[in-house]
Amino acid sequence: MITEQLVKNIANTKYDDIPESVILHAKKSLLNWVGVTIGAINHETTNILMEVTDDISSERHATILGRNQKKDLLSAVLINGTSSHIFDFDDTHLETIHHPSAPVAPVIFALGEKYNIPPKELLRAFILGCEAELRISNAVYPSHYQLGYHITSSTGAFGAAVAAGVILKLNDEQMAMSLGLAGTQSFGLREMFGTMTKPFHPGKAAQNGLLAALLVEKGFTSSTQVLEAKRGFANVYSPSHELDKVLVDWGKVWELEKNAFKPYACGIVLHPSIDACIQLSEFATPEEVKEITLEVHPYVLELTAKETPKTGLEGKFSIYHTAAIAFLEKDASEDQYQNEKVNDPKTLDLRQKIKPVSNDQIDKDKVLATLIKQDGSEHEVYIEHATGSFRNQMTQQMLNKKFAKLSTNTLDKKQTEQVIEKILEFDQLESIHQVIELI
């Protein structure tokens, strides 16, 4: 049974079995996650969730990162998970377009704070939670994604349940049931992209996975074969699947190491076009541009074909806005996705000249871009591996700079340096409170 063996693999993987390279990448993932979480913590989306959860519960167990406030466990993971995905600036497993940290990291922070779990144990839980959800994603992608499911939330609930189960020390049967309960709560529709509901997805996945583990810990029952059962997750949610991918090379190949960090605040499939348009901007002024053609992977147009976005959130799913703003401002950070930038006449004018073309011979991290000027001259740029992709990853220095920029409104320079230092030595800390108190 796939579910049973996955649970055994998780239980048998001790901290010392995890390669140092995986541990380091996990710390970088946590650093990136904390940065994007506190960067968006005062966004309207987060404020609404804060208000609603205040009405629901008065319990105060876990910190809302970036705010001097606490919530009950379930509300805290919902809010922190949602906040981390608001800017669409969080990590991505490009092979499945999955954002692994968002559903899992909130769980280890909340449980770690409430129960004062040693950070080394929390890091193991984080790694195993991410590894489980990514392997499940591998098994059902692309069929599951093409049906319209947001894979970060639908499989993210499994990652959250695993992380919570590891921390709560569930036995094998309990862990399998926790996966069952998480799987039956699997949800998330791609129709919601470009609205507040998209970042809500990983937050709710974190909440669903944690709730599953907490219920099972108290005796709640569920199926122990959720992944492979005739009416289980794979058969119901993915017409085509390869469940062997959940188990293959466990402990030898780590999917978490393929996790990439974004230099730009939008879907990673747009990053090649951003890199290309920034380079093309060196060859012409906006007025000199007649047309910019972008040959891209088919998923780019499937995900980001909004020709007339009206808001910053919609702009993140528009190759037209993204390419135009990258050419104009040589960047695509959160500043470039403000409502006023999306509706600026200069941006509107240039995005009419952006001509994306689907090409199934081009990989997700590549683009062939051609600038045609008003005088008929042409300039071509080929991006083989976009900045931030698995084969062209951000350096530690770039990650630190990104974190500092995101935390500007929350932390001073000294606090920023301390947070970076402590997360990079996370498994050596005595308590997670050493990080939480700073943020």
Side-chain angles (χ1 to χ4, degrees), residues 391-433:
R391 293 177 178 81
N392 185 18
Q393 296 195 30
M394 293 178 69
T395 64
Q396 185 65 59
Q397 185 177 12
M398 293 167 71
L399 272 175
N400 293 353
K401 185 177 179 180
K402 174 183 175 179
F403 182 90
K405 186 174 181 180
L406 284 164
S407 64
T408 298
N409 296 324
T410 309
L411 309 177
D412 60 32
K413 184 179 179 180
K414 183 178 180 181
Q415 288 173 315
T416 297
E417 292 172 350
Q418 289 176 321
V419 173
I420 292 172
E421 178 185 350
K422 291 188 181 303
I423 292 180
L424 291 179
E425 57 181 29
F426 195 77
D427 50 345
Q428 305 300 317
L429 300 179
E430 293 183 4
S431 170
I432 194 172
H433 292 276

Side-chain angles (χ1 to χ4, degrees), residues 118-248:
K120 190 173 183 178
E121 292 182 31
L122 298 177
L123 193 58
R124 172 175 174 260
F126 174 74
I127 291 169
L128 293 175
C130 289
E131 192 66 20
E133 66 181 332
L134 290 175
R135 284 170 168 270
I136 295 169
S137 295
N138 283 344
V140 298
Y141 184 89
S143 174
H144 177 71
Y145 197 74
Q146 290 168 344
L147 280 179
Y149 290 105
H150 184 190
I151 200 165
T152 298
S153 54
S154 57
T155 66
F158 292 115
V162 167
V166 169
I167 293 169
L168 297 172
K169 301 187 185 305
L170 301 185
N171 63 35
D172 285 3
E173 184 181 31
Q174 289 174 317
M175 181 68 87
M177 287 187 180
S178 182
L179 289 173
L181 191 48
T184 207
Q185 297 178 87
S186 180
F187 84 112
L189 300 174
R190 283 169 52 200
E191 167 62 22
M192 307 305 159
F193 287 13
T195 74
M196 292 181 182
T197 304
K198 182 177 189 276
F200 173 80
H201 286 166
K204 194 66 171 67
Q207 186 184 65
N208 290 349
L210 174 57
L211 177 61
L214 292 172
L215 287 171
V216 169
E217 184 189 30
K218 298 298 184 183
F220 207 88
T221 63
S222 182
S223 168
T224 58
Q225 50 186 351
V226 62
L227 296 178
E228 70 275 9
K230 181 179 180 180
R231 296 177 181 84
F233 178 79
N235 286 317
V236 172
Y237 284 85
S238 184
S240 176
H241 52 264
E242 299 178 65
L243 279 178
D244 286 348
K245 289 186 175 182
V246 175
L247 306 175
V248 65

Side-chain angles (χ1 to χ4, degrees), residues 264-418:
Y264 307 122
C266 58
I268 201 166
V269 295
L270 285 171
H271 290 195
S273 295
I274 295 168
D275 281 349
C277 287
I278 290 173
Q279 290 189 30
L280 288 175
S281 69
E282 302 294 332
F283 299 105
T285 64
E287 294 73 24
E288 292 174 326
V289 176
K290 179 180 180 181
E291 181 177 292
I292 297 175
T293 62
L294 301 165
E295 291 189 40
V296 295
H297 186 279
Y299 266 139
V300 177
L301 294 184
E302 183 175 334
L303 292 168
T304 67
K306 292 181 183 291
E307 294 188 45
T308 56
K310 302 297 183 184
T311 67
L313 285 176
E314 289 184 346
K316 292 174 183 285
F317 296 90
S318 170
I319 188 172
Y320 302 94
H321 168 73
T322 297
I325 202 69
F327 187 96
L328 289 168
E329 301 195 2
K330 295 180 172 54
D331 199 0
S333 296
E334 187 57 26
D335 289 346
Q336 282 69 49
Y337 291 100
Q338 300 302 309
N339 292 348
E340 57 268 26
K341 294 290 178 70
V342 173
N343 296 295
D344 188 291
K346 291 181 180 179
T347 312
L348 294 174
D349 179 65
L350 186 57
R351 79 183 186 204
Q352 303 303 316
K353 303 175 183 179
I354 305 298
K355 309 295 181 184
V357 179
S358 179
N359 183 342
D360 59 11
Q361 300 302 307
I362 293 201
D363 291 341
K364 294 173 190 171
D365 60 345
K366 296 176 171 56
V367 69
L368 177 61
T370 304
L371 164 68
I372 304 174
K373 297 174 68 173
Q374 298 289 354
D375 63 9
S377 61
E378 296 185 8
H379 294 275
E380 188 175 278
V381 169
Y382 177 64
I383 302 297
E384 185 172 10
H385 300 296
T387 307
S389 64
F390 175 61
R391 293 177 178 81
N392 185 18
Q393 296 195 30
M394 293 178 69
T395 64
Q396 185 65 59
Q397 185 177 12
M398 293 167 71
L399 272 175
N400 293 353
K401 185 177 179 180
K402 174 183 175 179
F403 182 90
K405 186 174 181 180
L406 284 164
S407 64
T408 298
N409 296 324
T410 309
L411 309 177
D412 60 32
K413 184 179 179 180
K414 183 178 180 181
Q415 288 173 315
T416 297
E417 292 172 350
Q418 289 176 321

